[in-house]
Amino acid sequence: MLYDMCSEPVLRYVVEMERCAVSDDMCPGLGYLERLWILEKREEAWAMLDFRRSEQVSVPFKTTTMHDFTGGAFLRGTMLDYMSQRPTGYAFVSLPSLLDPQDQKSEWKGLILETPIVDVGLAVHEHDLIAILTR
């Protein structure tokens, strides 16, 4: 009975999450066997520094020093002209995942506000939210 209980994907996943010191921030709808597989592959990649793929993304706009990586996205501050040196918009690109083996075309999306941006915060997976602080 103990063997059967320990073989349950839910329990194995919870134990592995604790062992790896990660939280469950995966997309909703994934089963526990899939989550466990993803977590095991992640740990294997970190242990071997085996990054399965890399992606080069060209940046076709004027950027600032404002940037962030979170929730599977890379965000850059954008500006209308080099004279101001202040972010006046943002652009982001969704990063590829091992979950989706198909090649995805990285496409920048964003917003130009034409007003100086002080900071940007992302909570993509948690709240589907991008917050922008302006002056």
Side-chain angles (χ1 to χ4, degrees):
M1 188 164 100
L2 181 61
Y3 176 81
D4 288 342
M5 188 174 78
C6 291
S7 298
E8 282 296 315
V10 176
L11 182 60
R12 288 179 46 215
Y13 179 64
V14 170
V15 168
E16 279 297 304
M17 276 193 340
E18 185 67 28
R19 187 183 71 76
C20 300
V22 298
S23 59
D24 185 3
D25 62 353
M26 292 190 200
C27 298
L30 288 177
Y32 285 101
L33 278 176
E34 294 162 309
R35 291 170 187 263
L36 185 60
W37 180 84
I38 292 166
L39 182 57
E40 288 170 349
K41 292 300 176 193
R42 174 194 175 275
E43 288 302 303
E44 182 182 300
W46 275 109
M48 305 298 286
L49 288 178
D50 177 16
F51 300 102
R52 308 253 174 200
R53 59 194 253 196
S54 64
E55 178 142 342
Q56 283 189 325
V57 179
S58 63
V59 181
F61 48 83
K62 300 172 192 166
T63 65
T64 68
T65 58
M66 184 176 66
H67 64 278
D68 200 357
F69 280 106
T70 187
F74 175 51
L75 178 133
R76 290 298 315 242
T78 63
M79 61 181 138
L80 292 176
D81 63 79
Y82 287 113
M83 298 301 287
S84 70
Q85 293 297 310
R86 299 285 310 161
T88 54
Y90 71 89
F92 67 93
V93 63
S94 295
L95 301 172
S97 169
L98 288 177
L99 290 175
D100 188 4
Q102 297 177 355
D103 288 331
Q104 299 172 340
K105 185 174 188 287
S106 298
E107 183 179 327
W108 287 95
K109 299 175 185 164
L111 180 67
I112 296 175
L113 299 176
E114 298 183 17
T115 186
I117 296 174
V118 177
D119 200 7
V120 172
L122 299 171
V124 179
H125 282 308
E126 301 89 349
H127 306 291
D128 194 22
L129 173 72
I130 297 176
I132 302 172
L133 178 62
T134 64
R135 282 196 241 170

